[in-house]
Amino acid sequence: MASTTRRPNQTDIAARLGVSVSTVSRALANEEGISEAVRRDVQRMARTMGYRSKHMPGLRAMDRRVVALVPFANATGGLSSFYVSILDAMRSEARACGLDLDVRVISERTVNLDLIDRHVKEAGAGAVLLAGIDATDELAVWCREQDVHAVLVNGSDPLMRISSVAPANFYGAYMATKHLLSSGHRKILHYTYGDRPTILERRRGFLTAMADVPGSEAVLVCGEDRTHLELLSDIAGRKHDATALFCWNDIAAVEIMEGIKGGLASAGQGFSIIGFDDLPLAAMTSPRLTTIRVDREAIGRGAIRLLSHQLEGETAIQQMEIGVSLVVGGTVHVIA
């Protein structure tokens, strides 16, 4: 039986926008006398409705070009193994989706809208992937006005202005804290840092798990206020009298572990440490660090798929969470 679904035409686009068919035709053909705002609206609606014709020269080629921006510290610092896995998966998925992906490492100190705009224009891209870069009002307005599709990679936007993909940070932190609680710990430190939405979700997961257990006591230690060495000093001096520590990532957890093993702090028998991310570093410690595993390849694949859906006409803001799992090592001890 033949399909009765017909392809949208210029009349349909005109009706959706409340403009004349002539305006639609001239905007799609890039004729003079049409404002840039109207031209963008018409071309955006044409893509959303799945309209394709010779009247849209160069548009599909531009839609296939995507630029991924990775802050310098993420690409070369301690988190490099985290983002390398994501980028490898993004490249592979982009090829499968027929997208032309241009990865660019940028200076973390100058991640602003002007820099993002310049790279997008240099790449001739119609879409951008922002790795570890958070949403702002200015960025959201720019995406809308410039008709640039964007996805936050390992980020989230609580105001739902830009689509994103990230690990399940709340549930991962909840899982980590529950593991410590089930091992008998009742006074637990959470070493956190910064106010990125992803990190705040980890903080919220920790506090929620602690609130579930009567008699437990949560202690927040912020990296902006205390350095690793100062935290080690607190642990050595029994300042908080805690028996366990949940760190915001594996790097911090390993540094604290090594500080204790190196004699910078005496944590006491049964002191437990758990991290987050399951970086390669976590498997190199002795004993192996207990941590939360993040499927970084799935983050990369998910980011490309979200972006591909946008390029195919999806207009809804979407937030994709990638599931996490507990990796049991030897750094969590059962106490009576």
Side-chain angles (χ1 to χ4, degrees), residues 102-113:
D102 179 357
V103 176
R104 300 186 174 200
V105 176
I106 58 177
S107 171
E108 191 171 31
R109 295 179 181 176
T110 57
V111 179
N112 53 42
L113 187 56

Side-chain angles (χ1 to χ4, degrees), residues 7 24 35 37 64 106 112 133 152 154 168 198 200 205 246 270 287 291 293 301-302 317:
R7 292 184 178 182
V24 170
S35 72
R64 286 194 298 270
I106 58 177
N112 53 42
I133 301 171
L152 306 178
N154 190 38
T198 50
L200 292 178
F246 166 40
T291 187
R293 175 171 294 157
R301 294 192 300 270
I317 300 298

Side-chain angles (χ1 to χ4, degrees), residues 8 23 39 60 67 80-81 103 171 193 204 215 240 244 265 280 304 328:
T23 296
R39 194 186 318 277
R60 295 191 72 182
V67 61
S80 60
S81 58
V103 176
Y171 294 105
Y193 186 86
R204 191 169 69 88
H240 303 292
I304 293 295
V328 177

Side-chain angles (χ1 to χ4, degrees), residues 57-77:
L59 189 58
R60 295 191 72 182
M62 184 177 184
D63 278 350
R64 286 194 298 270
R65 289 196 290 272
V66 178
V67 61
L69 303 182
V70 186
F72 182 82
N74 288 340
T76 62

Side-chain angles (χ1 to χ4, degrees), residues 70-303:
V70 186
F72 182 82
N74 288 340
T76 62
L79 286 174
S80 60
S81 58
F82 186 94
Y83 281 96
V84 165
S85 300
I86 290 175
L87 290 172
D88 284 345
M90 283 168 49
R91 289 189 177 99
S92 177
E93 192 67 21
R95 287 193 296 270
C97 293
L99 299 178
D100 181 7
L101 180 63
D102 179 357
V103 176
R104 300 186 174 200
V105 176
I106 58 177
S107 171
E108 191 171 31
R109 295 179 181 176
T110 57
V111 179
N112 53 42
L113 187 56
D114 288 341
L115 185 69
I116 294 171
D117 180 72
R118 176 169 62 82
H119 280 289
V120 169
K121 288 177 178 175
E122 284 180 358
V128 61
L129 294 159
L130 302 169
I133 301 171
D134 294 322
T136 62
D137 290 337
E138 188 182 28
L139 177 62
V141 170
W142 174 81
C143 289
R144 184 171 62 251
E145 292 183 345
Q146 298 297 318
D147 194 20
V148 173
H149 300 283
V151 171
L152 306 178
V153 184
N154 190 38
S156 65
D157 179 12
L159 298 182
M160 299 295 287
R161 297 158 299 185
I162 298 177
S163 291
S164 62
V165 57
N169 290 293
F170 172 88
Y171 294 105
Y174 185 89
M175 185 186 301
T177 309
K178 280 292 188 182
H179 184 61
L180 292 171
L181 289 165
S182 67
S183 298
H185 300 277
R186 288 298 178 268
K187 190 167 187 181
I188 303 173
L189 293 169
H190 176 38
Y191 189 29
T192 183
Y193 186 86
D195 58 359
R196 291 197 66 212
T198 50
I199 297 302
L200 292 178
E201 281 296 286
R202 295 182 187 184
R203 194 178 305 173
R204 191 169 69 88
F206 165 74
L207 292 173
T208 300
M210 294 296 289
D212 285 348
V213 178
S216 64
E217 185 177 348
V219 181
L220 288 176
V221 180
C222 295
E224 298 94 327
D225 303 323
R226 307 292 284 171
T227 66
H228 292 355
L229 285 175
E230 288 172 325
L231 178 57
L232 281 166
S233 176
D234 293 344
I235 293 171
R238 305 293 200 275
K239 177 180 178 180
H240 303 292
D241 198 28
T243 59
L245 172 67
F246 166 40
C247 290
W248 87 85
N249 69 14
D250 288 343
I251 297 172
V254 170
E255 289 182 356
I256 297 299
M257 276 182 61
E258 293 306 310
I260 292 173
K261 288 171 61 178
L264 295 178
S266 176
Q269 188 174 7
F271 190 80
S272 297
I273 298 178
I274 189 167
F276 202 109
D277 289 335
D278 194 29
L279 297 176
L281 180 68
M284 298 178 188
T285 63
S286 181
R288 194 216 197 277
L289 177 67
T290 299
T291 187
I292 299 297
R293 175 171 294 157
V294 171
D295 189 337
R296 298 181 288 278
E297 290 80 8
I299 292 175
R301 294 192 300 270

